[in-house]
Amino acid sequence: MMASEYRQIRSLISDEGRLRVSLESVPAVDPEPHEVVVRMEAAPINPSDLMILLGPVDPDSFEFSGTPDAPIVEASILPQGKHIAAGRLGQSLPVGNEGAGVVIQAGASDEAQALLGKTVGVAGGETYSELRRAPAAMCLPMKEGVTSEQAASWFVNPMTALGMTETMRMEGHTGLVHTAAASNLGQMLQKICTADEIPLVNVVRRQEQVDILTGIGAKHVVNTSEDSFKADLVSALRETGSTLAFDAIGGGQQGSDILAAMEVVAAESLTEYNRYGTTVLKQLYIYGGLNLAPTTLKRDFGFCWSVGAWLLPNFLARAGMEVMGRMRDRVAREIDTTFASHYSQRISLAEALTPEALSLYAKQATGTKYLIEPHR
C-alpha cells in the first residue's frame, strides 16, 4: 500500500525577497485513470534545476537550520534578480525537472496499467521527491535491465542534444558548433554527431576537456584558453562548414567570436567585395547562462546573421509529436550507450541541502554532476 505522505524538496521566495528551501512532507494522492505513481529512485541536479531550487540567490548569504533529516536553507535574493523571481513570490514550488523510478501504482487506463512495475523516466517537475504522480504519457518506459540511475538523466540532456540536431535539419544547416562541449550534454551531442555523420565543432576552455572529447571520437575541438583559439576556430569551421551554433555560456563575447569566425570562412568564397558581408546565414542560439554577464556582439560578421534563445520545451512544441516521439524512442534505445550520464556524487534529499553539497554543485563545474537518491 502506498504511504499516506512522502517527502520532497520545495523552494519558496517570499514577498520580501528571501529564499527558503526545505524538505517537507506532502500528502500522497491516488492516481487518476491516466496517471501513475512512481517511486522515485534517482534524479540529477542540472543547471536548469538550480533556477527553481535557488533562484537568483546571493551565494554569500546562505543560512542553514533545521535538523539533519529536515534541513532548511535560507538566503537573500540578489537585488538585480528580484524581477526574475517576481512571478514566483510567495509560492512553494517542488523542485526537479527529471528523474527515474519504478511505477508502484497505476490508474485504470490501459496506458497507465501497462507501466505498472516498470522502470520509467519521468519529466515535468517534482522529481526531488520520494514519490511522483504523473501522466502516463509523460513517462518513458525503459528496456529490460536499465536501472533508475541509468535512466535518471533521460530528458534534459538527451532531448536537448537531439533537439539541436533536429533544429539543424529543420533550418537547413549542415553542421554544428557547441560551447561548454565537455559537459554530459556535450558528450552526448558528440556521440550523436559521430553516429549520424554530422560535422561538429566543440568549444572548450581546458586541455583536459579537449582530451575528454577526443577520447570519444571528436575530430574538431578548440580550446578558448589557447592563444591560437580564433585561428583554430576558423580552421575547424572551414573543415566542417558549420553555420549553426548552440551556446551554453550566454554572457561575454564568445558567441560573437563564433559568428565572426563563420563570416571569415564564408567570405573566402566571395569573388568581389560586398560592404554588407556575405549572404551566408550565421545562426547563434543561446540556450544556457553559465556566464550571467551581458551578451556582447562586436558586429564584425556582416549583415546575414541571427541571434536567439533556444529552449527545449519551446522546440518540442514547434517540432510536433512525431519528432518528439522519434526522439524519445532513440533515448530509450540508447539510454545506456549514447545517452549514458556520469555522476561525481550520489546524495540523499537531505544531503542535497547541506552546505557541502550546495557549495559544489551550485558552481555548475564540468565533471561535478550530482545525483539525488530520494530513498537513500
Side-chain angles (χ1 to χ4, degrees):
M1 175 179 282
M2 189 172 68
S4 60
E5 61 180 24
Y6 58 95
R7 299 186 305 159
Q8 67 177 201
I9 293 177
R10 301 186 72 88
S11 174
L12 179 146
I13 297 178
S14 70
D15 292 338
E16 294 75 31
R18 186 77 175 162
L19 172 75
R20 186 181 192 274
V21 185
S22 56
L23 182 55
E24 300 183 14
S25 294
V26 296
V29 178
D30 289 333
E32 297 292 331
H34 67 289
E35 294 179 329
V36 298
V37 176
V38 181
R39 182 184 189 272
M40 296 302 300
E41 296 180 344
I45 298 176
N46 298 304
S48 56
D49 294 308
L50 299 180
M51 297 172 64
I52 298 296
L53 181 67
L54 301 177
V57 70
D58 179 355
D60 295 324
S61 67
F62 283 125
E63 297 176 6
F64 300 89
S65 61
T67 67
D69 292 331
I72 297 172
V73 179
E74 294 183 287
S76 299
I77 297 301
L78 291 166
Q80 62 269 33
K82 288 185 177 179
H83 71 284
I84 299 174
R88 58 172 289 192
L89 296 181
Q91 301 178 52
S92 176
L93 302 178
V95 188
N97 286 327
E98 64 179 343
V102 177
V103 175
I104 61 170
Q105 189 175 358
S109 70
D110 291 342
E111 182 183 24
Q113 285 292 314
L115 297 179
L116 194 59
K118 293 186 179 296
T119 297
V120 298
V122 186
E126 301 184 46
T127 59
Y128 296 173
S129 179
E130 292 175 332
L131 298 178
R132 170 72 162 95
R133 183 168 62 101
M138 290 179 59
C139 299
L140 182 65
M142 296 296 159
K143 60 188 178 182
E144 192 70 28
V146 170
T147 66
S148 293
E149 177 173 323
Q150 290 174 309
S153 293
W154 77 273
F155 184 75
V156 174
N157 286 345
M159 295 290 278
T160 296
L162 287 171
M164 290 174 177
T165 60
E166 292 287 348
T167 298
M168 180 199 74
R169 297 185 184 98
M170 290 168 60
E171 298 186 0
H173 299 274
T174 57
L176 299 173
V177 180
H178 183 226
T179 69
S183 62
N184 270 265
L185 188 158
Q187 293 180 54
M188 291 177 189
L189 181 61
Q190 177 59 59
K191 293 174 183 178
I192 294 168
C193 289
T194 297
D196 295 359
E197 298 184 343
I198 297 171
L200 174 64
V201 178
N202 298 281
V203 181
V204 298
R205 57 191 175 90
R206 296 197 304 269
Q207 181 58 45
E208 53 264 42
Q209 295 170 336
V210 175
D211 297 339
I212 288 171
L213 289 163
T214 55
I216 60 172
K219 295 181 179 179
H220 305 285
V221 188
V222 293
N223 185 349
T224 61
S225 66
E226 296 287 346
D227 293 338
S228 60
F229 164 64
K230 290 186 178 181
D232 294 340
L233 179 59
V234 168
S235 178
L237 291 171
R238 185 180 295 120
E239 292 184 41
T240 60
S242 301
T243 51
L244 172 62
F246 288 91
D247 180 28
I249 308 300
Q253 70 172 57
Q254 189 171 108
S256 184
D257 290 340
I258 293 170
L259 291 174
M262 289 177 178
E263 178 69 358
V264 168
V265 174
E268 292 174 348
S269 62
L270 287 178
T271 57
E272 60 182 37
Y273 171 72
N274 185 334
R275 75 184 72 180
Y276 301 115
T278 73
T279 58
V280 174
L281 175 62
K282 300 162 289 293
Q283 175 69 59
L284 173 69
Y285 282 122
I286 297 172
Y287 79 97
L290 296 177
N291 182 347
L292 297 179
T295 302
T296 302
L297 299 178
K298 295 179 66 177
R299 297 289 302 276
D300 54 353
F301 33 77
F303 276 80
C304 194
W305 55 273
S306 179
V307 176
W310 193 96
L311 189 67
L312 177 60
N314 296 349
F315 166 77
L316 293 175
R318 179 165 64 103
M321 294 300 295
E322 181 180 349
V323 173
M324 182 167 64
R326 182 171 70 242
M327 293 165 63
R328 282 170 53 105
D329 288 346
R330 183 169 182 177
V331 171
R333 290 195 311 270
E334 302 176 26
I335 191 65
D336 52 352
T337 53
T338 304
F339 304 111
S341 289
H342 309 284
Y343 304 99
S344 60
Q345 193 162 336
R346 292 151 185 81
I347 55 178
S348 68
L349 288 168
E351 290 168 339
L353 303 185
T354 62
E356 296 78 14
L358 280 169
S359 66
L360 288 175
Y361 61 67
K363 294 178 181 178
Q364 304 183 40
T366 299
T368 59
K369 193 173 182 70
Y370 274 63
L371 185 74
I372 294 178
E373 297 176 335
H375 295 273
R376 185 182 178 88

